[in-house]
Amino acid sequence: MIGKAHTSKPEKRLSSAINRATGGNVSRYINSWRIRHACKLIEDGTSVTVAMQDSGFNTKSNFNREFLRKTGVSPSQWKHARQPPLNVTQISDASRAK
């Protein structure tokens, strides 16, 4: 909850200010930050499920929908796109060593 304890503005004024500044609603604003956090975690090697939970999402369906809306790809596609490419030379060398 966005409360008065954190700001001196009433919730409605704060919500309106966020809407004007971002062109979206408070929920979308917060979810944008959550998705950015999840992207960073996934890039750092965290599993999609742990990234979802650590970013504050309680359901996979909501996480997947918001992730796709913000990034244009699913979380698993994001993870696979950011994995370093395999070095074919190293693979070939390793198979010869056996």
Side-chain angles (χ1 to χ4, degrees), residues 19-68:
N19 292 350
R20 281 191 307 275
T22 66
N25 62 35
V26 173
S27 179
R28 289 260 166 103
Y29 177 75
I30 292 168
N31 281 341
S32 291
W33 282 99
R34 289 173 162 176
I35 294 299
R36 281 186 223 139
H37 179 67
C39 287
K40 175 76 173 114
L41 290 173
I42 292 168
E43 288 171 6
D44 291 344
T46 303
S47 74
V48 171
T49 301
V50 171
M52 174 198 81
Q53 294 167 338
D54 195 55
S55 299
F57 288 92
N58 295 319
T59 63
K60 277 188 177 182
S61 60
N62 188 35
F63 176 67
N64 289 337
R65 181 180 58 250
E66 287 298 314
F67 199 99
L68 181 62

Side-chain angles (χ1 to χ4, degrees), residues 75-86:
S76 59
Q77 289 171 321
W78 181 272
K79 183 176 185 88
H80 293 299
R82 271 123 190 104
Q83 288 179 344
L86 293 175

